[in-house]
């Protein structure tokens, strides 16, 4: 189904959080304030790498209006955080390892006073050599950033004998692909409000993708029981993975506890840039070979990932990249190695696509180069080597069987934009300026959902008939713009036949919601859907049984409907939900908890469920300026049933725009550990001018009849295949292969014909 | 006010009109309008993001023109009529906001108030904008979520509604 407003009919709905968003009425957590609050500020390192000889805070503390200046000495519990492995200091003691490293936290009457105080803190550093090249960082003579050395994590996967495989190859392509340090650029920078309660509890209003993970980490830092902390974590002005790890929370929490007063924090953009996560820059070397007919025989990959100073999810991102450089293709011989390296560059971490974007850019680049070498159509070449329906996954692990790969492949093969490609090769647009060149390219992916084998991945939720007659849907997931509330509301309406007025959705509050796992890895919609499937019968049964007693009719003659209980064969309202709630009896609550389904393999990180997706793009290259412009896009996505058409379309369009930035514009350039671009005047993300072309999204909903896993996630796939498709289109347009992102305009510039010598 | 007074932050009383109400605010002359709106008046619909006039999240109308409120200082607002997103919705959700709702022209919504203010400034001035004019008017508003597809659809729908509204007004005048 080509997804748009017309084809969606009544399923195209206004989001429940929409009216408050378009009127400015919605209070984001960084919009909150209370009387007598103080302003929190973090003093960060002047150097990317230095030993701390001394920190003196006396002068800052004496400044009028300053309430607290905290250093590592004031951290009562574990002075470190990190989702997977806590090795990032809350406040540095002996050493700083990047320019975002925190040394002191200040609370003052105003932000201006806090900034003055920051200037009065005296720190004596011994500057150390900056380790900014991940390759050099691995050499034995490099400065070691952590006790176990500079390699955070290594991966390997082998099948067959790759050297022997290459000996049999007729065609071999070898290339090295580079991808940039991309910035999330969520429009709402990190911040929040931290309120100590009279009962000794701390309430944290600060965006995160996993409130319970924050609560656990903060309890560890503050040395208090988890029950002593309440995390309120939605709504969020964008995250894309960037707010999953703790950011301002440790400082706001410490300052609130120390001063006994509410603390407001809201990072400036520069603060956000220097301290925030970025997409892991990767260098991916690939050697891939085929036989004479074009069948893949051998594939050898080496991934080098710059993880920056601390772990966060660097190892997990590398695992994901390792899986996705293998991807949906069949090889007899395979040898993949990866290493994630500590450096003094900025923090790398979780970012939409989770290492898949880098991997797929390289892998699909290889496929296009091989096809060209063979003189084959690139899509035909992919089909020849693509996984079959019942093939194992990239790590030879059992995966959920679908026809997704076939369907996506066929959708692209048949779409008008791909067919136009073949015409482009033979016809030239005579109206176009001679320096404008056009090309069409495509790329494919299978993208894993969920956290994978070996990582706790809980899911679940709760339905309740509240006292006021509202049906409460309670989940531990977060709304950061992706449309989770809209998806949840739509599922409740369509699966239970409730009206939107009957429903109250509650998310993002650790005091109320069950731990449903992290809102990440394209998992939330799938897990809410599964939860509702599991809750549907028990919850409906209880409601109907209670109703049956009230209206004195057999259960079989009743059904759930808009506003209340109705007769099974009519639309007459017999009992409102409010009346039902008032009927005496035990409260009606159903809860479910389970885990994201995983593959029966021991390979950590291997996935079980995948979304299949491909994109075709038409690109115009101006060979005078070297700028490439995306004119048109066609996305085919096989992710099972469309839960919310508007949200689905929005996620693919939005992911695609982010990938366009990754391909053509964005890079957080660093010089010896320092960021060059500090704000959005020099770090450029796509604007409306960059996104003027038509984007079509074909949603392939088909799943095998016995498949009960339901909808797959679409939060990430829209961002994964755009860059390699652009690279392929550039090749067709002007004959140049792109290996480094973002595409450097000088690579595409040509001497204009009128300047060439006759 | 002299530059010297501005630099020294001499106590200053700003008189202006915000969302149709008359305001008198004691502040420094160099205080940013963004700070006045968000921190002093608690009008948090105007969003803070880049603080340098690049992203448009804090866009407001000053005498009908779209201005980044992070770049407008208190003394520059003296006597002016300022409309923030809260002012756009004074009489309920307006046709531009409705178009954004129906077409999915937002996701996280953080850029949305500024985006809508920019569209309002455009359509108040030019009810039949070309695509180039739309792109130019919104090029100062960054949205990281939607990919701009929904925003294009919303603006197109708003243009159509504006056309209908104008036609209805003309009809009423004729009657």
């Amino acid at each position: 189904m080509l997804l748009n407003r017309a084809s969606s009919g009544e399923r195209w709905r206004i989001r429940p959080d929409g009216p408050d968003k378009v009127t400015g009425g919605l209070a984001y957590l960084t919009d909150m304030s209370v009387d007598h609050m103080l302003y929190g500020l973090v003093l960060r390192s002047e150097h990317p790498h230095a030993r701390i000889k001394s920190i003196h805070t006396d002068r800052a503390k004496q400044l009028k209006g300053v309430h607290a200046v905290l250093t590592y000495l004031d951290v009562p519990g574990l002075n470190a955080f990190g989702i997977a492995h806590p090795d990032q200091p809350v406040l540095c003691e002996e050493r700083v390892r990047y320019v975002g490293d925190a040394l002191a936290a200040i609370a003052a009457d105003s932000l201006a006073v806090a900034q003055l105080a920051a200037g009065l803190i005296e720190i004596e550093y011994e500057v150390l050599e900056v380790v900014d090249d991940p390759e050099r960082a691995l050499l034995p003579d490099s400065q070691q950033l952590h006790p176990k050395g500079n390699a955070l994590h290594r991966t390997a996967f082998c099948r067959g004998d790759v050297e022997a495989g290459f000996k049999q190859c007729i065609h071999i392509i070898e290339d090295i692909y580079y991808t940039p340090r991309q910035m999330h650029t969520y429009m709402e920078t990190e911040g929040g409000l931290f309120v100590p309660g009279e009962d000794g509890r701390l309430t944290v209003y600060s965006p995160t993708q996993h409130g319970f993970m924050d609560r656990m980490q903060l309890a560890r830092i503050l040395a208090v029981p988890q029950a002593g902390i309440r995390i309120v974590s939605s709504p969020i002005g964008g995250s894309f993975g960037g707010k999953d790890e703790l950011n301002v929370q440790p400082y706001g929490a410490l300052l609130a506890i120390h001063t006994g007063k509410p603390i407001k924090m809201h990072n400036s953009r520069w603060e956000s840039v220097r301290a925030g996560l970025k997409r892991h820059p990767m260098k991916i070397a690939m050697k891939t070979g085929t036989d004479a007919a074009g069948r893949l025989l051998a594939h050898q990959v080496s991934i080098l990932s710059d993880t920056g100073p601390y772990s966060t999810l660097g190892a997990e991102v590398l695992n994901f990249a390792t899986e996705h450089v293998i991807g949906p293709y069949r090889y007899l011989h395979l040898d993949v190695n990866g290493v994630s390296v500590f450096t003094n560059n900025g923090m790398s971490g979780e970012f939409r696509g989770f290492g898949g974007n880098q991997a797929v850019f390289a892998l699909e680049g290889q496929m296009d180069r091989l096809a060209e070498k063979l003189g084959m159509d690139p899509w035909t070449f992919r089909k020849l080597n693509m996984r079959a329906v019942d093939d194992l996954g990239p790590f030879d692990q059992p995966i959920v069987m679908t026809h997704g790969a076939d369907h996506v492949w066929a959708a692209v093969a048949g779409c008008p934009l791909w067919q136009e490609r073949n015409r482009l090769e033979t016809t030239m647009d005579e109206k176009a300026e001679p320096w404008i060149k056009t090309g069409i390219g495509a790329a494919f992916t299978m993208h894993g959902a969920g956290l994978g084998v070996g990582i706790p991945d809980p899911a679940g939720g709760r339905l309740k008939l509240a006292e006021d007659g509202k049906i409460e849907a309670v989940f531990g997931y977060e709304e950061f713009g992706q449309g989770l509330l809209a998806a949840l509301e739509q599922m409740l309406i369509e699966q239970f036949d409730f009206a939107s007025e009957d429903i109250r959705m509650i998310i993002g509050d650790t005091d109320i919601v069950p731990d449903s796992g992290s809102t990440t890895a394209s998992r939330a919609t799938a897990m809410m859907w599964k939860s509702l499937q599991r809750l549907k019968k028990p919850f409906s049964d209880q409601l109907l049984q209670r109703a049956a007693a009230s209206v004195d009719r057999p259960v079989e003659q009743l059904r759930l409907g808009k506003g209340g209980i109705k007769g099974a064969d009519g639309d007459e309202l017999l009992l409102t939900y409010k009346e039902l709630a008032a009927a005496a009896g035990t409260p009606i609550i159903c809860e479910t908890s389970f885990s994201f389904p995983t593959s029966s393999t021991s390979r950590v990180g291997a996935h079980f469920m995948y979304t299949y997706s491909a994109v075709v793009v038409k690109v115009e290259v101006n060979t005078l300026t070297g700028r490439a412009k995306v004119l048109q896009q066609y996305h085919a996505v096989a992710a099972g049933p469309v839960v919310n058409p508007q949200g689905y379309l929005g996620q693919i369009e939005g992911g695609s725009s982010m990938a366009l930035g990754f391909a053509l514009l964005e890079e957080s350039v660093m010089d010896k550990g320092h960021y060059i671009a500090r704000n959005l005047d020099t770090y450029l993300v796509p604007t409306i001018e960059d996104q003027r072309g038509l984007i079509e999204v074909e949603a392939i909903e088909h799943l095998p009849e016995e498949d009960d896993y339901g909808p797959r996630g679409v939060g990430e796939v829209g961002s994964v295949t755009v860059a390699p498709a652009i690279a392929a289109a550039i090749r067709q347009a002007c004959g140049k292969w792109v290996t480094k992102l973002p595409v450097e305009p000088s690579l595409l510039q040509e001497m204009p014909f009128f300047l060439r010598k006759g | 006010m002299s530059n010297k007074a501005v630099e020294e932050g001499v106590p200053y009383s700003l008189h202006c009109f915000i969302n149709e109400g008359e305001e008198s605010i004691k502040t420094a002359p160099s205080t940013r309008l963004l700070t006045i709106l968000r921190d002093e008046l608690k009008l948090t619909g105007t969003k803070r993001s880049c603080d340098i006039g690049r992203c448009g999240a804090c866009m407001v109308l000053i005498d009908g023109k779209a201005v980044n409120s992070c770049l407008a200082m208190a003394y520059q607002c003296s006597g002016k009529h300022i409309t923030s997103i809260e002012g756009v919705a004074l009489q309920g959700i307006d046709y531009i906001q409705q178009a954004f709702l129906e077409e999915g022209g937002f996701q996280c919504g953080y850029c949305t108030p500024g985006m809508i203010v920019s569209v309002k400034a455009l359509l108040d001035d030019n009810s039949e904008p070309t695509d180039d004019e739309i792109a130019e008017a919104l090029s100062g508003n960054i949205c990281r979520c939607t990919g701009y597809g929904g925003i294009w659809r919303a603006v197109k729908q708003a243009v159509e509604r504006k056309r209908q509204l104008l036609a209805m007004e003309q009809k009423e005048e004729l009657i």
Side-chain angles (χ1 to χ4, degrees):
Chain A
M1 176 180 66
L2 211 53
L3 208 55
N4 54 48
R5 193 175 168 187
S7 69
S8 304
E10 285 182 7
R11 301 198 71 225
W12 184 274
R13 305 182 75 254
I14 288 177
R15 291 170 64 137
D17 51 352
D20 282 344
K21 283 183 173 172
V22 300
T23 56
L26 183 70
Y28 293 79
L29 303 173
T30 51
D31 292 334
M32 295 177 68
S33 58
V34 286
D35 290 342
H36 309 300
M37 68 183 186
L38 304 175
Y39 290 82
L41 186 72
V42 176
L43 176 70
R44 298 185 188 274
S45 175
E46 287 169 44
H47 305 286
H49 196 196
R51 200 167 301 287
I52 303 163
K53 293 166 79 176
S54 65
I55 305 176
H56 294 289
T57 58
D58 292 350
R59 285 178 64 208
K61 280 178 176 163
Q62 284 157 12
L63 190 69
K64 190 166 174 273
V66 170
H67 292 252
V69 182
L70 309 180
T71 66
Y72 67 93
L73 295 168
D74 303 297
V75 180
L78 180 70
N79 184 20
F81 62 95
I83 291 177
H85 174 57
D87 61 357
Q88 176 164 6
V90 176
L91 291 164
C92 295
E93 180 176 352
E94 297 172 331
R95 193 175 180 186
V96 288
R97 293 181 180 85
Y98 84 118
V99 289
D101 251 334
L103 292 143
I106 302 150
D109 286 336
S110 70
L111 189 59
V113 171
Q115 284 163 340
L116 267 180
L120 296 175
I121 297 172
E122 295 147 294
I123 300 170
E124 213 181 334
Y125 295 100
E126 177 195 336
V127 174
L128 301 172
E129 183 192 342
V130 175
V131 181
D132 62 349
D133 177 345
E135 248 159 321
R136 269 206 44 76
L138 291 174
L139 299 178
D141 66 341
S142 172
Q143 285 254 4
Q144 301 297 296
L145 299 184
H146 291 278
K148 287 182 181 167
N150 289 342
L152 161 67
H153 180 60
R154 291 182 189 272
T155 57
F157 185 77
C158 292
R159 181 190 306 146
D161 179 345
V162 83
E163 288 309 321
F166 280 120
K167 280 183 188 148
Q168 295 165 27
C169 288
I170 305 298
H171 304 286
I172 293 177
I173 289 288
E174 210 172 345
D175 228 322
I176 301 176
Y177 301 84
Y178 298 86
T179 61
R181 185 186 313 278
Q182 188 184 20
M183 184 156 74
H184 300 75
T185 325
Y186 26 74
M187 295 312 292
E188 182 194 33
T189 53
E190 308 83 351
L193 188 67
F194 301 81
V195 184
E198 285 173 6
D199 55 358
R201 293 185 83 216
L202 174 71
T203 303
V204 173
Y205 301 91
S206 185
T208 178
Q209 291 180 221
H210 194 183
F212 286 93
M213 180 62 78
D214 283 15
R215 191 178 71 163
M216 183 277 283
Q217 292 211 71
L218 287 179
R220 214 160 53 179
I221 292 164
L222 300 175
V224 299
Q226 291 191 43
I229 300 172
R230 174 186 174 198
I231 308 276
V232 178
S233 38
S234 288
I236 305 174
S239 178
F240 318 110
K243 294 173 184 163
D244 201 12
E245 187 60 273
L246 290 180
N247 44 76
V248 299
Q249 293 94 333
Y251 313 103
L254 283 167
L255 290 169
I257 296 294
H258 274 263
T259 61
K261 292 193 171 178
I263 302 289
K264 183 183 174 82
M265 299 191 73
H266 195 176
N267 275 350
S268 68
R269 182 57 67 175
W270 164 229
E271 191 80 347
S272 175
V273 168
R274 74 192 300 200
L277 304 176
K278 308 287 179 294
R279 190 186 292 288
H280 286 79
M282 289 189 192
K283 174 183 176 185
I284 303 178
M286 280 190 176
K287 182 177 173 185
T288 315
T290 72
D291 62 16
R295 285 192 191 278
L296 291 169
L297 294 181
H299 184 48
Q300 191 171 32
V301 186
S302 171
I303 308 169
L304 181 74
S305 174
D306 181 351
T307 203
Y310 303 108
S311 299
T312 181
L313 292 175
E316 291 69 22
V317 167
L318 180 67
N319 286 343
F320 198 94
T322 304
E323 181 178 6
H324 287 73
V325 291
I326 302 168
Y329 304 108
R330 302 165 123 187
Y331 323 82
L332 285 174
H333 307 280
L334 191 56
D335 178 22
V336 182
N337 285 283
V339 58
S340 184
V341 187
F342 288 120
T343 65
N344 296 123
N345 292 323
M347 279 290 290
S348 300
E350 176 180 343
F351 193 160
R352 192 180 210 169
F354 209 73
N357 315 53
Q358 299 94 317
V360 173
F361 170 62
L363 176 61
E364 292 293 282
Q366 290 290 98
M367 296 303 137
D368 284 326
R369 283 160 177 77
L370 279 165
E372 188 175 293
K373 200 156 191 180
L374 282 147
M376 279 175 87
D377 169 80
W379 217 241
T380 309
F381 174 75
R382 282 172 173 80
K383 180 73 173 172
L384 180 68
N385 290 292
M386 197 174 283
R387 57 170 285 109
V389 168
D390 50 359
D391 277 352
L392 295 172
F395 289 138
D396 293 343
Q397 83 275 26
I399 66 172
V400 178
M401 192 203 80
T402 73
H403 300 273
D406 278 347
H407 287 156
V408 166
W409 184 90
V412 163
C415 83
L417 191 55
W418 185 249
Q419 286 162 2
E420 188 186 329
R421 179 185 193 275
N422 301 326
R423 290 199 301 276
L424 265 185
E425 279 181 8
T426 51
T427 57
M428 287 283 288
D429 186 349
E430 287 171 5
K431 282 177 284 178
E433 306 286 4
W435 51 85
I436 300 289
K437 298 181 177 177
T438 309
I440 291 173
F444 188 92
T445 193
M446 64 187 288
H447 184 89
L451 304 185
V453 170
I455 305 165
D457 204 357
R462 185 192 306 143
L463 290 178
K464 179 184 172 186
L465 177 64
E467 281 178 16
D468 63 354
K470 292 279 186 192
I471 308 292
E472 285 185 349
V474 190
F475 284 90
Y477 302 114
E478 317 293 353
E479 173 65 65
F480 40 89
Q482 79 278 42
L484 180 133
L485 288 171
L488 177 56
E489 185 184 72
Q490 193 144 355
M491 284 189 282
L492 287 163
I493 289 170
E494 293 180 355
Q495 292 185 24
F496 290 82
D497 208 16
F498 298 137
S500 59
E501 301 77 46
D502 299 330
I503 300 164
R504 180 186 299 130
M505 294 178 285
I506 300 174
I507 60 165
D509 184 339
T510 54
D511 270 11
I512 303 172
V513 303
D515 186 357
S516 324
S518 183
T519 312
T520 188
S522 303
R523 72 192 286 286
T525 298
M527 292 301 93
M528 288 192 305
W529 183 89
K530 190 77 189 166
S531 299
L532 293 182
Q533 289 288 304
R534 292 165 65 106
L535 291 168
K536 187 173 179 180
K537 187 163 173 18
F539 189 61
S540 302
D541 284 355
Q542 283 194 49
L543 292 177
L544 292 174
Q545 278 160 14
R546 175 77 58 86
S550 283
V551 299
D552 200 22
R553 281 205 202 183
V555 168
E556 306 79 56
Q557 289 180 17
L558 301 176
R559 66 178 176 90
L560 303 180
K562 293 174 177 51
I565 308 297
K566 297 185 172 184
D569 49 4
D571 203 37
E572 185 198 353
L573 189 63
L574 302 175
L575 192 70
T576 65
Y577 291 119
K578 194 170 181 180
E579 289 162 346
L580 185 62
T586 50
I588 297 178
I589 303 174
C590 285
E591 191 159 329
T592 183
S593 66
F594 53 101
S595 281
F596 196 98
T598 50
S599 174
S600 56
T601 174
S602 58
R603 173 97 198 176
V604 171
H607 288 84
F608 188 47
M609 276 165 64
Y610 291 87
T611 300
Y612 296 86
S613 133
V615 63
V616 189
V617 298
K618 185 176 184 180
V619 170
E620 182 183 274
V621 177
N622 181 330
T623 58
L624 286 183
T625 63
R627 290 286 175 189
K629 192 170 163 185
V630 177
L631 301 177
Q632 204 177 332
Q633 301 180 39
Y634 170 88
H635 292 254
V637 184
V642 174
V643 171
N644 174 274
Q646 194 187 83
Y648 193 119
L649 181 62
Q651 284 294 289
I652 300 301
E653 286 177 334
S656 151
S657 180
M658 204 163 243
L660 184 140
F662 176 67
L664 298 176
L665 292 170
E666 297 180 39
E667 180 168 24
S668 290
V669 178
M670 305 208 74
D671 179 31
K672 298 183 185 69
H674 290 277
Y675 283 104
I676 302 291
R678 295 177 158 218
N679 205 326
L680 306 182
D681 53 342
T682 40
Y683 184 86
L684 300 182
V685 300
T687 67
I688 197 163
E689 179 62 36
D690 299 297
Q691 286 289 16
R692 295 182 60 167
L694 176 71
I695 301 183
E696 290 180 307
V697 176
E698 178 85 33
I700 297 161
E701 300 190 86
H702 177 271
L703 287 176
E705 229 164 69
E706 63 280 11
D707 187 299
D708 67 346
Y709 297 104
R712 279 44 163 175
V714 296
E716 293 171 285
V717 281
S719 77
V720 176
T721 49
V722 172
I726 289 174
I730 287 173
R731 170 68 178 175
Q732 197 197 21
C734 63
K736 290 180 177 143
W737 283 124
V738 168
T739 52
K740 184 175 178 296
L741 300 180
V743 177
E744 181 62 48
S746 62
L747 177 79
L748 305 185
Q749 277 181 309
E750 287 169 12
M751 185 72 82
F753 68 93
F754 48 81
L755 290 181
R756 282 182 213 140
K757 284 183 182 161
Chain B
M1 177 161 293
S2 71
N3 280 342
K4 190 164 180 290
V6 171
E7 280 162 20
E8 288 172 357
V10 170
Y12 169 72
S13 186
L14 165 65
H15 292 279
C16 63
F17 300 86
I18 297 180
N19 299 334
E20 296 180 8
E22 195 171 349
E23 296 280 350
S24 187
I25 301 157
K26 289 252 180 300
T27 187
S30 60
T31 307
R32 295 160 178 239
L33 177 59
L34 174 64
T35 308
I36 293 171
L37 291 172
R38 282 180 64 83
D39 298 342
E40 297 184 21
L41 301 176
K42 308 295 182 217
L43 292 171
T44 54
T46 301
K47 299 301 180 197
R48 177 186 182 210
S49 186
C50 77
D51 278 331
I52 58 165
R54 178 61 197 94
C55 76
C58 69
M59 202 71 85
V60 297
L61 300 178
I62 299 185
D63 288 348
K65 301 278 180 216
V67 174
N68 286 295
S69 63
C70 68
L71 298 185
M73 287 190 262
Y75 78 93
Q76 295 171 307
C77 299
S78 177
K80 307 277 190 196
H81 286 261
I82 293 155
T83 307
S84 71
I85 188 69
E86 290 89 350
V88 175
L90 272 185
Q91 269 82 48
I93 285 176
D94 87 339
Y95 72 102
I96 299 171
Q97 292 166 322
Q98 188 63 28
F100 271 75
L101 278 176
E102 289 179 9
E103 300 294 348
F106 64 94
Q107 292 196 60
C108 89
Y110 200 79
C111 75
T112 310
M115 192 71 76
I116 286 171
V117 166
S118 288
V119 176
K120 183 162 173 54
L122 170 69
L123 297 188
D124 282 353
D125 186 50
N126 174 5
S127 59
E128 298 279 350
T130 63
D131 281 5
D132 283 345
E133 286 166 340
I134 293 170
E136 189 183 341
L138 299 187
S139 61
N141 290 82
I142 293 172
C143 171
R144 191 57 158 169
C145 291
T146 63
Y148 303 100
I151 292 168
W152 275 111
R153 290 189 287 275
V155 177
K156 298 279 188 181
Q157 194 200 108
V159 170
E160 182 53 39
R161 291 217 177 162
K162 176 95 183 178
R163 192 177 292 141
Q164 290 166 3
L165 289 171
L166 289 174
M168 276 166 61
E169 275 174 27
Q170 275 179 353
K171 216 171 162 185
E172 278 169 15
E173 276 173 25
L174 286 174
I175 292 167

